[in-house]
Amino acid sequence: MSDLRDPALYDALLLLSFGGPEGPDDVVPFLANVTRGRGIPEERLKEVGKHYFLFGGVSPINAQNRSLLDALRKDFAEHGLDLPVYWGNRNWAPYLTDTLRDMITDGHRRIAVLATSAYASYSGCRQYRENLAESLAVLEAEGLPVPRVDKLRHYFNHPGFVRPMVDGVLASLADLPDDVRAGAHLAFTTHSIPESAADASGPVEAHGDGGSYVAEHLDVARVIVDAVREETGIDHPWQLVYQSRSGAPHIPWLEPDVCDHLETLHGAGVPAVVMAPIGFVSDHMEVLYDLDTEATAKAAELGLPVRRSATVGADPRFAAAVRELLVERTAAEQGSPVERCVLGALGASHDLCPAGCCPARTPRPAAAGADSPYA
């Protein structure tokens, strides 16, 4: 994409993420933040936190975000983009409200926001927008000037996000033994969410049958499969599968689960599988535990060769994609022609979330959308 337009409309970029514990003492307080308002007792939180304790109580997501911050700053500097980059989390330090307060104190009044979630869903978009509105309300009550925040569009089909995943799948296939490589299946994984949440994801016109959440993942999977076929000459069978389910067992969630899928493939005589976590920006806990630990153990139990392909993380192509998203959003805000970088069949996502997009069960104010209380 051309860099002819300087995104000077914005005076800062906020990297907005989920957050994670950075030691054993952080695990239960972190989970209490995540589940606030649900009345979950501490003993249950300790049980839920066992995945974190297996890794010393440290989630890799914060280290991944620090690496991404470094990559963004490096890319911006190399392309003459003098835009400071800040980092705030929903559920752990650095907390979003504190980061926004620092940004306001530093004089920033027009902020672009990159969420570390590439797809449309309540938890992956609307909830971040609600958190922004909550933080802005707190800062407004403190008497601080409220900045304008614009969340950058969903980037699930941006080449800078997709191409690193293609390379990851190709590397994983190449790492399989020669005698099973050609027959390997591809299992594209993402976070399972309730079927009702999936059906209501994206704009109102996309609701039903998994909504935008499922459609976007399927589109990315097809792009990757096509690229792998072009590179290798092999048309690998594939399926979108799910992981990291939580919540009440009587509520229907997206299926099949990745471990169940591995059992099915093994029973059908499939010789090997590459698990590709396309729903995750980086190797955070769901990837390390649900795929690298649990699913890999299931495959070993079955005697099924598996490889897990890399997430995008701090790939320089992704950092460049963020810069391009800033450039295109600046052009759109200024009424200039916009060059959208996309792959696949769905086209570019909206810049401004419309009313009714990824609705919450209980309506709450959300920033950076058509229904935002903050212009």
Side-chain angles (χ1 to χ4, degrees):
M1 179 173 181
S2 171
D3 273 0
L4 295 177
R5 295 180 296 276
D6 177 12
L9 181 72
Y10 296 102
D11 54 26
L13 174 70
L14 169 62
L15 177 65
L16 177 55
S17 194
F18 191 81
E22 301 203 77
D25 292 341
D26 296 344
V27 173
V28 171
F30 162 73
L31 292 174
N33 286 343
V34 174
T35 61
R36 181 176 289 113
R38 302 182 201 172
I40 299 177
E42 182 174 328
E43 288 307 310
R44 176 57 183 158
L45 294 178
K46 290 179 180 177
E47 175 65 19
V48 172
K50 65 183 180 181
H51 301 170
Y52 292 96
F53 291 122
L54 287 174
F55 295 89
V58 178
S59 168
I61 192 171
N62 285 344
Q64 292 280 341
N65 281 327
R66 292 185 183 102
S67 295
L68 180 55
L69 283 170
D70 290 342
L72 291 171
R73 289 165 178 158
K74 182 175 184 292
D75 179 88
F76 287 6
E78 288 175 348
H79 290 83
L81 178 55
D82 184 18
L83 196 74
V85 185
Y86 292 74
W87 168 36
N89 290 324
R90 284 168 47 181
N91 299 298
W92 201 249
Y95 287 104
L96 172 59
T97 303
D98 296 334
T99 298
L100 281 172
R101 185 184 294 107
D102 290 341
M103 297 177 82
I104 294 170
T105 302
D106 290 345
H108 301 300
R109 299 294 181 267
R110 187 74 184 268
I111 298 167
V113 179
L114 178 81
T116 55
S117 177
Y119 301 86
S121 70
Y122 171 74
S123 58
C125 182
R126 173 85 191 189
Q127 193 169 11
Y128 281 105
R129 294 175 49 226
E130 290 177 353
N131 296 144
L132 284 166
E134 290 168 2
S135 293
L136 292 174
V138 168
L139 299 174
E140 185 177 41
E142 293 177 3
L144 294 174
V146 176
R148 172 165 172 173
V149 295
D150 289 339
K151 181 178 176 292
L152 298 177
R153 69 170 171 90
H154 299 300
Y155 47 83
F156 64 93
N157 55 1
H158 193 289
F161 184 68
V162 178
R163 295 298 184 190
M165 294 191 291
V166 171
D167 289 349
V169 171
L170 289 169
S172 293
L173 285 168
D175 192 49
L176 285 168
D178 294 344
D179 59 335
V180 299
R181 184 180 305 124
H185 283 223
L186 308 180
F188 295 103
T189 78
T190 191
H191 208 299
S192 184
I193 61 175
E195 289 181 0
S196 58
D199 290 345
S201 60
V204 173
E205 60 269 21
H207 290 180
D209 295 327
S212 294
Y213 186 75
V214 172
E216 290 170 0
H217 282 86
L218 288 173
D219 198 45
V220 170
R222 293 185 188 103
V223 170
I224 295 173
V225 169
D226 289 346
V228 169
R229 183 194 309 112
E230 183 175 343
E231 179 72 22
T232 66
I234 299 173
D235 193 7
H236 290 274
W238 64 276
Q239 186 168 339
L240 178 64
V241 300
Y242 302 93
Q243 60 176 93
S244 313
R245 178 194 164 127
S246 60
H250 68 279
I251 297 176
W253 283 53
L254 294 174
E255 294 179 338
D257 175 77
V258 60
C259 289
D260 294 340
H261 184 60
L262 293 177
E263 288 188 340
T264 299
L265 294 181
H266 175 67
V270 170
V273 179
V274 168
M275 301 181 293
I278 62 172
F280 303 89
V281 174
S282 65
D283 288 6
H284 51 75
M285 188 56 66
E286 282 87 349
V287 176
L288 290 190
Y289 182 80
D290 296 319
L291 295 184
D292 293 354
T293 304
E294 192 172 50
T296 300
K298 171 57 71 174
E301 173 190 319
L302 296 169
L304 177 65
V306 295
R307 298 292 185 272
R308 195 270 289 177
S309 67
T311 53
V312 174
D315 190 291
R317 290 169 291 183
F318 182 45
V322 175
R323 171 172 42 83
E324 291 171 354
L325 290 169
L326 276 164
V327 169
E328 70 168 49
R329 182 60 182 271
T330 298
E333 292 293 321
Q334 294 175 335
S336 302
V338 179
E339 181 185 352
R340 304 284 188 176
C341 292
V342 295
L343 298 172
L346 294 183
S349 182
H350 46 260
D351 282 330
L352 193 68
C353 290
C357 193
C358 305
R361 285 174 294 180
T362 303
R364 298 166 61 193
D371 54 355
S372 172
Y374 297 100

